[in-house]
Amino acid sequence: MATLQDVADIVIAGKAKKTPGVVQEALDAGLAPKDILNTMIDAMSVVGERFSRNEIFVPEMLVAAKAMKKGVDVLKPLLSDGGVGSMGKMIMGTVAGDLHDIGKNLVIMMIESAGFDVIDLGVDVPIERFLSAYDENPDTKIIGCSALLTTTMPALEQTVAAINQQPWRGKVKVMVGGAPITQEFADRIGADAYTEDAASAAQKAKELVS
Ligand code: B1M
């Protein structure tokens, strides 16, 4: 029987092969999927703090991220309600220069669960790719952009600025998020919405299209 502490420990240790088993054991012990997910998110914060203190380095961050992804895979069917596409299309990507995708993937998972059909552009997405994805999918209701580094906040600003210049801007909502982003920053760069986490992103997406 695994505890939440076991889940945190296995993610922090970056044991990607063992993580699914520990997550499954935690579920079998009756722990709630949302609590297990939040534990993994908190574990990534611990990893980040250790990185900031130079106690660990990029490879350790990378293996922790892989472990978390494997754990999320186990939870995915339990966290999403399988809603498909009824709310319309959303384009999502992490902005140019930024390789972080765990947060974006969680947002996608929750937004799909809310009934959106998500086009995932991946990480390090150039401005032109956000624009061409809209051209390929002109029925898109929302474009979502993640930025997880303070150094990629300018790329987020430039991406939103480019979207704001498009003739189709009035037909689409722009949503932004990521650890360094604030409501104030989102307002300043001309985004329509900002949310702090994946659950509120799904809620906000529903509000934006209603
Ligand atoms: Co990086 N990294 N990293 N990293 N990394 C951080 C972000 C950092 C805070 C660590 C630290 O120093 N404490 C720091 C940034 C500091 C800063 O910005 N000033 C940092 C750094 C410095 C770097 C490198 C520069 C390190 C280096 O090379 N020297 C490098 C940059 C690479 C690049 O992108 N160009 C780098 C690399 C990496 C790895 C590749 C090793 C790996 C990423 C692997 C991957 O994602 N596949 C990694 C990791 C794992 C982290 C930490 C440890 C964890 C990130 C994470 O997944 N968090 C992170 C430390 C930390 O976060 N405390 C760190 C969990 C995730 C669920 O949270 O991403 O915030 P988050 O997403 C949330 C919300 O932000 C929100 O909802 C999500 C779910 O609740 N959200 C949205 C996100 N997008 C949204 C969009 C929305 C709405 C909400 O609407 C559209």
Side-chain angles (χ1 to χ4, degrees), residues 34-95:
K34 271 189 185 161
D35 291 340
I36 299 172
L37 178 65
N38 286 333
T39 297
M40 289 197 283
I41 293 174
D42 291 345
M44 294 311 287
S45 297
V46 173
V47 169
E49 284 155 20
R50 290 187 183 175
F51 176 77
S52 297
R53 293 196 298 264
N54 288 326
E55 291 168 12
I56 61 166
F57 300 96
V58 170
E60 285 93 340
M61 278 208 290
L62 198 54
V63 290
K66 280 187 184 156
M68 169 147 185
K69 282 186 182 185
K70 292 282 181 192
V72 171
D73 285 347
V74 177
L75 297 178
K76 205 171 174 178
L78 304 168
L79 289 167
S80 69
D81 65 10
V84 274
S86 56
M87 300 293 287
K89 277 187 194 168
M90 175 162 178
I91 292 168
M92 250 322 266
T94 303
V95 297

Short mmCIF file of all heavy atoms in Angstrom, two decimals, residues 34-95:
data_model
loop_
_atom_site.label_atom_id
_atom_site.label_comp_id
_atom_site.label_asym_id
_atom_site.label_seq_id
_atom_site.Cartn_x
_atom_site.Cartn_y
_atom_site.Cartn_z
N LYS A 34 -7.03 13.12 -7.56
CA LYS A 34 -6.65 14.55 -7.50
C LYS A 34 -5.57 14.79 -6.45
O LYS A 34 -4.67 15.61 -6.65
CB LYS A 34 -7.87 15.41 -7.17
CG LYS A 34 -8.61 15.84 -8.40
CD LYS A 34 -9.68 16.86 -8.09
CE LYS A 34 -10.45 17.16 -9.37
NZ LYS A 34 -11.73 17.77 -9.16
N ASP A 35 -5.66 14.07 -5.31
CA ASP A 35 -4.65 14.24 -4.26
C ASP A 35 -3.30 13.71 -4.74
O ASP A 35 -2.25 14.28 -4.45
CB ASP A 35 -5.08 13.51 -2.98
CG ASP A 35 -6.28 14.19 -2.33
OD1 ASP A 35 -6.52 15.37 -2.64
OD2 ASP A 35 -6.99 13.53 -1.55
N ILE A 36 -3.35 12.60 -5.48
CA ILE A 36 -2.10 12.02 -6.00
C ILE A 36 -1.48 12.98 -7.01
O ILE A 36 -0.27 13.24 -6.99
CB ILE A 36 -2.37 10.63 -6.63
CG1 ILE A 36 -2.93 9.67 -5.56
CG2 ILE A 36 -1.10 10.06 -7.25
CD1 ILE A 36 -3.42 8.34 -6.10
N LEU A 37 -2.32 13.56 -7.88
CA LEU A 37 -1.81 14.52 -8.86
C LEU A 37 -1.20 15.73 -8.16
O LEU A 37 -0.08 16.16 -8.49
CB LEU A 37 -2.95 14.98 -9.79
CG LEU A 37 -2.54 16.02 -10.83
CD1 LEU A 37 -1.53 15.45 -11.81
CD2 LEU A 37 -3.75 16.55 -11.59
N ASN A 38 -1.92 16.28 -7.17
CA ASN A 38 -1.39 17.46 -6.46
C ASN A 38 -0.08 17.13 -5.74
O ASN A 38 0.81 17.98 -5.67
CB ASN A 38 -2.44 18.00 -5.48
CG ASN A 38 -3.55 18.71 -6.23
OD1 ASN A 38 -3.33 19.23 -7.32
ND2 ASN A 38 -4.74 18.72 -5.66
N THR A 39 0.02 15.90 -5.27
CA THR A 39 1.27 15.48 -4.61
C THR A 39 2.42 15.49 -5.62
O THR A 39 3.53 15.93 -5.31
CB THR A 39 1.09 14.07 -4.02
OG1 THR A 39 0.07 14.14 -3.03
CG2 THR A 39 2.38 13.55 -3.41
N MET A 40 2.14 15.03 -6.84
CA MET A 40 3.19 15.01 -7.87
C MET A 40 3.57 16.43 -8.27
O MET A 40 4.75 16.73 -8.51
CB MET A 40 2.75 14.19 -9.08
CG MET A 40 2.70 12.70 -8.77
SD MET A 40 2.65 11.69 -10.25
CE MET A 40 0.97 11.90 -10.72
N ILE A 41 2.57 17.34 -8.34
CA ILE A 41 2.87 18.74 -8.68
C ILE A 41 3.75 19.35 -7.58
O ILE A 41 4.76 20.01 -7.86
CB ILE A 41 1.56 19.55 -8.87
CG1 ILE A 41 0.82 19.05 -10.12
CG2 ILE A 41 1.86 21.05 -8.98
CD1 ILE A 41 -0.56 19.66 -10.34
N ASP A 42 3.39 19.07 -6.32
CA ASP A 42 4.21 19.58 -5.21
C ASP A 42 5.62 18.99 -5.26
O ASP A 42 6.60 19.66 -4.94
CB ASP A 42 3.56 19.24 -3.86
CG ASP A 42 2.28 20.04 -3.63
OD1 ASP A 42 2.05 21.02 -4.36
OD2 ASP A 42 1.49 19.65 -2.75
N ALA A 43 5.70 17.72 -5.67
CA ALA A 43 7.01 17.07 -5.76
C ALA A 43 7.89 17.78 -6.78
O ALA A 43 9.10 17.95 -6.56
CB ALA A 43 6.84 15.60 -6.13
N MET A 44 7.27 18.24 -7.88
CA MET A 44 8.05 18.97 -8.88
C MET A 44 8.55 20.30 -8.31
O MET A 44 9.63 20.77 -8.68
CB MET A 44 7.23 19.23 -10.15
CG MET A 44 6.85 17.98 -10.92
SD MET A 44 8.23 16.85 -11.23
CE MET A 44 9.12 17.74 -12.46
N SER A 45 7.78 20.89 -7.41
CA SER A 45 8.25 22.13 -6.76
C SER A 45 9.47 21.84 -5.90
O SER A 45 10.42 22.63 -5.87
CB SER A 45 7.15 22.74 -5.89
OG SER A 45 6.07 23.11 -6.68
N VAL A 46 9.44 20.70 -5.22
CA VAL A 46 10.59 20.30 -4.40
C VAL A 46 11.82 20.14 -5.30
O VAL A 46 12.92 20.62 -4.99
CB VAL A 46 10.31 18.98 -3.63
CG1 VAL A 46 11.56 18.48 -2.93
CG2 VAL A 46 9.17 19.19 -2.64
N VAL A 47 11.60 19.48 -6.44
CA VAL A 47 12.69 19.28 -7.40
C VAL A 47 13.25 20.64 -7.84
O VAL A 47 14.47 20.86 -7.88
CB VAL A 47 12.19 18.45 -8.62
CG1 VAL A 47 13.21 18.45 -9.74
CG2 VAL A 47 11.85 17.03 -8.19
N GLY A 48 12.32 21.59 -8.15
CA GLY A 48 12.73 22.92 -8.58
C GLY A 48 13.54 23.65 -7.51
O GLY A 48 14.54 24.30 -7.80
N GLU A 49 13.07 23.50 -6.26
CA GLU A 49 13.79 24.17 -5.16
C GLU A 49 15.20 23.59 -5.01
O GLU A 49 16.16 24.33 -4.79
CB GLU A 49 13.01 23.99 -3.85
CG GLU A 49 11.78 24.90 -3.76
CD GLU A 49 10.72 24.34 -2.83
OE1 GLU A 49 11.05 23.48 -1.99
OE2 GLU A 49 9.55 24.76 -2.97
N ARG A 50 15.30 22.27 -5.15
CA ARG A 50 16.63 21.63 -5.03
C ARG A 50 17.54 22.09 -6.16
O ARG A 50 18.74 22.29 -5.97
CB ARG A 50 16.49 20.11 -5.03
CG ARG A 50 15.87 19.62 -3.75
CD ARG A 50 15.87 18.11 -3.66
NE ARG A 50 15.19 17.69 -2.45
CZ ARG A 50 14.94 16.43 -2.12
NH1 ARG A 50 15.32 15.46 -2.92
NH2 ARG A 50 14.32 16.14 -1.00
N PHE A 51 16.94 22.26 -7.35
CA PHE A 51 17.71 22.74 -8.50
C PHE A 51 18.21 24.16 -8.21
O PHE A 51 19.39 24.48 -8.45
CB PHE A 51 16.84 22.71 -9.76
CG PHE A 51 17.50 23.29 -10.97
CD1 PHE A 51 18.46 22.57 -11.68
CD2 PHE A 51 17.18 24.57 -11.41
CE1 PHE A 51 19.08 23.10 -12.80
CE2 PHE A 51 17.80 25.11 -12.54
CZ PHE A 51 18.74 24.37 -13.23
N SER A 52 17.31 24.99 -7.65
CA SER A 52 17.70 26.39 -7.34
C SER A 52 18.85 26.43 -6.34
O SER A 52 19.68 27.32 -6.38
CB SER A 52 16.52 27.14 -6.71
OG SER A 52 15.47 27.23 -7.59
N ARG A 53 18.86 25.44 -5.44
CA ARG A 53 19.93 25.42 -4.42
C ARG A 53 21.19 24.69 -4.90
O ARG A 53 22.09 24.41 -4.11
CB ARG A 53 19.41 24.75 -3.14
CG ARG A 53 18.32 25.55 -2.42
CD ARG A 53 18.12 25.06 -1.00
NE ARG A 53 17.69 23.67 -0.94
CZ ARG A 53 16.42 23.27 -0.83
NH1 ARG A 53 15.45 24.17 -0.76
NH2 ARG A 53 16.12 22.00 -0.78
N ASN A 54 21.20 24.33 -6.20
CA ASN A 54 22.33 23.59 -6.79
C ASN A 54 22.57 22.24 -6.13
O ASN A 54 23.68 21.73 -6.13
CB ASN A 54 23.63 24.41 -6.71
CG ASN A 54 23.61 25.56 -7.68
OD1 ASN A 54 23.04 25.45 -8.76
ND2 ASN A 54 24.20 26.67 -7.29
N GLU A 55 21.51 21.65 -5.57
CA GLU A 55 21.64 20.32 -4.97
C GLU A 55 21.46 19.24 -6.04
O GLU A 55 21.94 18.13 -5.90
CB GLU A 55 20.60 20.14 -3.86
CG GLU A 55 20.88 21.01 -2.65
CD GLU A 55 19.71 21.06 -1.68
OE1 GLU A 55 18.77 20.25 -1.81
OE2 GLU A 55 19.75 21.91 -0.80
N ILE A 56 20.69 19.60 -7.08
CA ILE A 56 20.53 18.70 -8.23
C ILE A 56 20.70 19.53 -9.50
O ILE A 56 20.71 20.76 -9.44
CB ILE A 56 19.14 18.00 -8.24
CG1 ILE A 56 18.02 19.05 -8.32
CG2 ILE A 56 18.97 17.08 -7.04
CD1 ILE A 56 16.68 18.44 -8.67
N PHE A 57 20.79 18.84 -10.65
CA PHE A 57 21.05 19.55 -11.90
C PHE A 57 20.01 19.13 -12.95
O PHE A 57 19.09 18.37 -12.66
CB PHE A 57 22.49 19.30 -12.33
CG PHE A 57 23.46 19.79 -11.27
CD1 PHE A 57 23.99 18.92 -10.32
CD2 PHE A 57 23.78 21.13 -11.18
CE1 PHE A 57 24.83 19.37 -9.31
CE2 PHE A 57 24.62 21.61 -10.18
CZ PHE A 57 25.15 20.73 -9.24
N VAL A 58 20.17 19.64 -14.18
CA VAL A 58 19.16 19.41 -15.22
C VAL A 58 18.81 17.92 -15.40
O VAL A 58 17.63 17.57 -15.50
CB VAL A 58 19.59 20.07 -16.55
CG1 VAL A 58 18.69 19.63 -17.69
CG2 VAL A 58 19.56 21.59 -16.41
N PRO A 59 19.79 17.00 -15.45
CA PRO A 59 19.40 15.60 -15.65
C PRO A 59 18.44 15.08 -14.59
O PRO A 59 17.50 14.33 -14.89
CB PRO A 59 20.75 14.85 -15.58
CG PRO A 59 21.77 15.86 -15.92
CD PRO A 59 21.26 17.17 -15.40
N GLU A 60 18.63 15.51 -13.33
CA GLU A 60 17.73 15.07 -12.26
C GLU A 60 16.33 15.67 -12.46
O GLU A 60 15.32 15.03 -12.19
CB GLU A 60 18.28 15.47 -10.89
CG GLU A 60 19.44 14.61 -10.42
CD GLU A 60 20.79 15.20 -10.79
OE1 GLU A 60 20.86 16.04 -11.70
OE2 GLU A 60 21.79 14.80 -10.17
N MET A 61 16.28 16.94 -12.92
CA MET A 61 14.97 17.55 -13.20
C MET A 61 14.26 16.78 -14.30
O MET A 61 13.06 16.55 -14.26
CB MET A 61 15.13 19.01 -13.65
CG MET A 61 15.30 20.00 -12.54
SD MET A 61 14.68 21.64 -12.99
CE MET A 61 15.87 22.21 -14.20
N LEU A 62 15.07 16.38 -15.30
CA LEU A 62 14.51 15.68 -16.45
C LEU A 62 13.92 14.32 -16.04
O LEU A 62 12.81 13.96 -16.44
CB LEU A 62 15.61 15.50 -17.50
CG LEU A 62 15.19 15.19 -18.90
CD1 LEU A 62 14.20 16.21 -19.44
CD2 LEU A 62 16.42 15.18 -19.81
N VAL A 63 14.64 13.57 -15.24
CA VAL A 63 14.12 12.25 -14.86
C VAL A 63 12.90 12.38 -13.94
O VAL A 63 11.97 11.58 -14.02
CB VAL A 63 15.20 11.31 -14.23
CG1 VAL A 63 16.20 10.87 -15.26
CG2 VAL A 63 15.88 11.91 -13.02
N ALA A 64 12.90 13.43 -13.10
CA ALA A 64 11.71 13.65 -12.26
C ALA A 64 10.50 13.96 -13.15
O ALA A 64 9.39 13.47 -12.91
CB ALA A 64 11.96 14.80 -11.29
N ALA A 65 10.74 14.76 -14.19
CA ALA A 65 9.65 15.09 -15.12
C ALA A 65 9.14 13.84 -15.82
O ALA A 65 7.93 13.65 -15.98
CB ALA A 65 10.14 16.10 -16.16
N LYS A 66 10.06 12.95 -16.20
CA LYS A 66 9.64 11.70 -16.87
C LYS A 66 8.81 10.85 -15.91
O LYS A 66 7.81 10.25 -16.28
CB LYS A 66 10.87 10.91 -17.33
CG LYS A 66 11.43 11.45 -18.61
CD LYS A 66 12.53 10.55 -19.17
CE LYS A 66 13.13 11.18 -20.42
NZ LYS A 66 14.48 10.74 -20.70
N ALA A 67 9.26 10.79 -14.65
CA ALA A 67 8.53 10.00 -13.65
C ALA A 67 7.12 10.56 -13.48
O ALA A 67 6.13 9.82 -13.44
CB ALA A 67 9.29 10.01 -12.33
N MET A 68 7.04 11.89 -13.40
CA MET A 68 5.71 12.50 -13.22
C MET A 68 4.80 12.17 -14.40
O MET A 68 3.63 11.86 -14.23
CB MET A 68 5.85 14.01 -13.05
CG MET A 68 4.50 14.69 -13.12
SD MET A 68 4.34 16.13 -12.11
CE MET A 68 2.60 16.50 -12.39
N LYS A 69 5.37 12.26 -15.60
CA LYS A 69 4.55 11.96 -16.80
C LYS A 69 3.99 10.54 -16.74
O LYS A 69 2.83 10.30 -17.08
CB LYS A 69 5.37 12.14 -18.07
CG LYS A 69 5.56 13.58 -18.46
CD LYS A 69 6.25 13.67 -19.80
CE LYS A 69 6.49 15.11 -20.18
NZ LYS A 69 7.05 15.28 -21.51
N LYS A 70 4.83 9.60 -16.33
CA LYS A 70 4.39 8.19 -16.24
C LYS A 70 3.29 8.07 -15.19
O LYS A 70 2.33 7.30 -15.36
CB LYS A 70 5.57 7.29 -15.86
CG LYS A 70 6.60 7.17 -16.95
CD LYS A 70 6.13 6.21 -18.01
CE LYS A 70 7.17 6.06 -19.10
NZ LYS A 70 6.64 5.37 -20.28
N GLY A 71 3.43 8.81 -14.11
CA GLY A 71 2.40 8.78 -13.06
C GLY A 71 1.09 9.38 -13.54
O GLY A 71 0.01 8.83 -13.28
N VAL A 72 1.20 10.49 -14.27
CA VAL A 72 -0.01 11.14 -14.79
C VAL A 72 -0.74 10.21 -15.76
O VAL A 72 -1.97 10.17 -15.79
CB VAL A 72 0.35 12.49 -15.47
CG1 VAL A 72 -0.86 13.07 -16.21
CG2 VAL A 72 0.85 13.49 -14.44
N ASP A 73 0.03 9.43 -16.54
CA ASP A 73 -0.60 8.49 -17.48
C ASP A 73 -1.56 7.53 -16.76
O ASP A 73 -2.61 7.18 -17.29
CB ASP A 73 0.47 7.66 -18.21
CG ASP A 73 1.19 8.48 -19.27
OD1 ASP A 73 0.69 9.57 -19.61
OD2 ASP A 73 2.25 8.03 -19.74
N VAL A 74 -1.17 7.12 -15.55
CA VAL A 74 -2.03 6.21 -14.78
C VAL A 74 -3.31 6.93 -14.35
O VAL A 74 -4.40 6.35 -14.35
CB VAL A 74 -1.28 5.66 -13.54
CG1 VAL A 74 -2.18 4.76 -12.70
CG2 VAL A 74 -0.02 4.91 -13.96
N LEU A 75 -3.16 8.20 -13.99
CA LEU A 75 -4.30 8.96 -13.47
C LEU A 75 -5.25 9.46 -14.56
O LEU A 75 -6.42 9.73 -14.30
CB LEU A 75 -3.80 10.17 -12.66
CG LEU A 75 -2.97 9.86 -11.42
CD1 LEU A 75 -2.53 11.18 -10.78
CD2 LEU A 75 -3.78 9.04 -10.41
N LYS A 76 -4.68 9.63 -15.76
CA LYS A 76 -5.42 10.31 -16.84
C LYS A 76 -6.86 9.80 -17.02
O LYS A 76 -7.79 10.60 -17.01
CB LYS A 76 -4.64 10.17 -18.16
CG LYS A 76 -4.93 11.26 -19.13
CD LYS A 76 -3.96 11.18 -20.30
CE LYS A 76 -4.35 12.19 -21.35
NZ LYS A 76 -3.44 12.19 -22.48
N PRO A 77 -7.06 8.48 -17.16
CA PRO A 77 -8.44 8.03 -17.36
C PRO A 77 -9.36 8.34 -16.18
O PRO A 77 -10.57 8.44 -16.35
CB PRO A 77 -8.31 6.51 -17.53
CG PRO A 77 -6.88 6.17 -17.48
CD PRO A 77 -6.09 7.39 -17.15
N LEU A 78 -8.75 8.52 -15.01
CA LEU A 78 -9.57 8.77 -13.82
C LEU A 78 -9.88 10.25 -13.65
O LEU A 78 -10.84 10.63 -12.99
CB LEU A 78 -8.84 8.27 -12.57
CG LEU A 78 -8.44 6.80 -12.62
CD1 LEU A 78 -7.49 6.45 -11.50
CD2 LEU A 78 -9.70 5.93 -12.53
N LEU A 79 -9.04 11.10 -14.23
CA LEU A 79 -9.21 12.54 -14.05
C LEU A 79 -10.04 13.16 -15.16
O LEU A 79 -10.63 14.22 -14.99
CB LEU A 79 -7.85 13.24 -14.00
CG LEU A 79 -7.05 12.96 -12.73
CD1 LEU A 79 -5.61 13.42 -12.91
CD2 LEU A 79 -7.68 13.65 -11.53
N SER A 80 -10.07 12.52 -16.32
CA SER A 80 -10.84 13.10 -17.42
C SER A 80 -12.16 12.35 -17.54
O SER A 80 -12.22 11.16 -17.29
CB SER A 80 -10.05 13.02 -18.72
OG SER A 80 -9.94 11.70 -19.13
N ASP A 81 -13.20 13.10 -17.93
CA ASP A 81 -14.51 12.45 -18.02
C ASP A 81 -14.84 12.03 -19.45
O ASP A 81 -15.96 11.65 -19.76
CB ASP A 81 -15.61 13.33 -17.43
CG ASP A 81 -15.79 14.61 -18.24
OD1 ASP A 81 -15.21 14.71 -19.34
OD2 ASP A 81 -16.52 15.50 -17.77
N GLY A 82 -13.82 12.14 -20.32
CA GLY A 82 -13.97 11.60 -21.67
C GLY A 82 -14.82 12.45 -22.61
O GLY A 82 -15.20 11.99 -23.67
N GLY A 83 -15.13 13.69 -22.21
CA GLY A 83 -15.91 14.56 -23.08
C GLY A 83 -15.15 14.80 -24.38
O GLY A 83 -13.97 15.08 -24.35
N VAL A 84 -15.80 14.66 -25.52
CA VAL A 84 -15.05 14.81 -26.77
C VAL A 84 -15.62 15.89 -27.68
O VAL A 84 -16.67 15.74 -28.26
CB VAL A 84 -14.97 13.48 -27.58
CG1 VAL A 84 -13.81 12.62 -27.13
CG2 VAL A 84 -16.28 12.72 -27.50
N GLY A 85 -14.84 16.98 -27.72
CA GLY A 85 -15.07 17.94 -28.79
C GLY A 85 -16.33 18.79 -28.78
O GLY A 85 -16.43 19.68 -29.60
N SER A 86 -17.25 18.60 -27.86
CA SER A 86 -18.51 19.30 -27.97
C SER A 86 -18.39 20.80 -27.71
O SER A 86 -19.25 21.57 -28.10
CB SER A 86 -19.54 18.69 -27.02
OG SER A 86 -19.02 18.71 -25.71
N MET A 87 -17.32 21.22 -27.03
CA MET A 87 -17.16 22.65 -26.72
C MET A 87 -16.40 23.38 -27.82
O MET A 87 -16.24 24.59 -27.76
CB MET A 87 -16.40 22.84 -25.40
CG MET A 87 -17.06 22.23 -24.20
SD MET A 87 -18.62 23.03 -23.76
CE MET A 87 -18.03 24.57 -23.09
N GLY A 88 -15.85 22.67 -28.80
CA GLY A 88 -15.12 23.30 -29.88
C GLY A 88 -13.62 23.06 -29.78
O GLY A 88 -13.16 22.33 -28.91
N LYS A 89 -12.89 23.72 -30.69
CA LYS A 89 -11.44 23.47 -30.78
C LYS A 89 -10.63 24.47 -29.97
O LYS A 89 -10.98 25.65 -29.91
CB LYS A 89 -10.99 23.59 -32.24
CG LYS A 89 -11.22 22.34 -33.05
CD LYS A 89 -10.59 22.50 -34.43
CE LYS A 89 -11.12 21.40 -35.34
NZ LYS A 89 -10.78 21.65 -36.74
N MET A 90 -9.53 23.97 -29.42
CA MET A 90 -8.57 24.85 -28.75
C MET A 90 -7.17 24.47 -29.23
O MET A 90 -6.84 23.29 -29.31
CB MET A 90 -8.67 24.68 -27.24
CG MET A 90 -7.62 25.47 -26.49
SD MET A 90 -8.04 25.68 -24.78
CE MET A 90 -6.59 26.56 -24.17
N ILE A 91 -6.37 25.49 -29.55
CA ILE A 91 -4.97 25.27 -29.92
C ILE A 91 -4.12 25.55 -28.69
O ILE A 91 -4.35 26.55 -27.99
CB ILE A 91 -4.57 26.23 -31.07
CG1 ILE A 91 -5.31 25.85 -32.36
CG2 ILE A 91 -3.06 26.23 -31.28
CD1 ILE A 91 -5.21 26.90 -33.46
N MET A 92 -3.17 24.67 -28.39
CA MET A 92 -2.33 24.84 -27.19
C MET A 92 -0.88 24.62 -27.53
O MET A 92 -0.54 23.71 -28.28
CB MET A 92 -2.70 23.73 -26.22
CG MET A 92 -3.44 23.99 -24.94
SD MET A 92 -3.12 25.42 -23.98
CE MET A 92 -1.93 24.82 -22.83
N GLY A 93 0.00 25.41 -26.95
CA GLY A 93 1.43 25.17 -27.12
C GLY A 93 2.23 25.92 -26.08
O GLY A 93 1.75 26.89 -25.47
N THR A 94 3.47 25.45 -25.86
CA THR A 94 4.43 26.18 -25.03
C THR A 94 5.25 27.06 -25.98
O THR A 94 5.69 26.59 -27.03
CB THR A 94 5.36 25.20 -24.28
OG1 THR A 94 4.56 24.30 -23.49
CG2 THR A 94 6.31 25.94 -23.35
N VAL A 95 5.45 28.30 -25.59
CA VAL A 95 6.02 29.29 -26.51
C VAL A 95 7.48 29.00 -26.89
O VAL A 95 8.16 28.19 -26.24
CB VAL A 95 5.91 30.72 -25.94
CG1 VAL A 95 4.46 31.13 -25.76
CG2 VAL A 95 6.72 30.86 -24.66
#
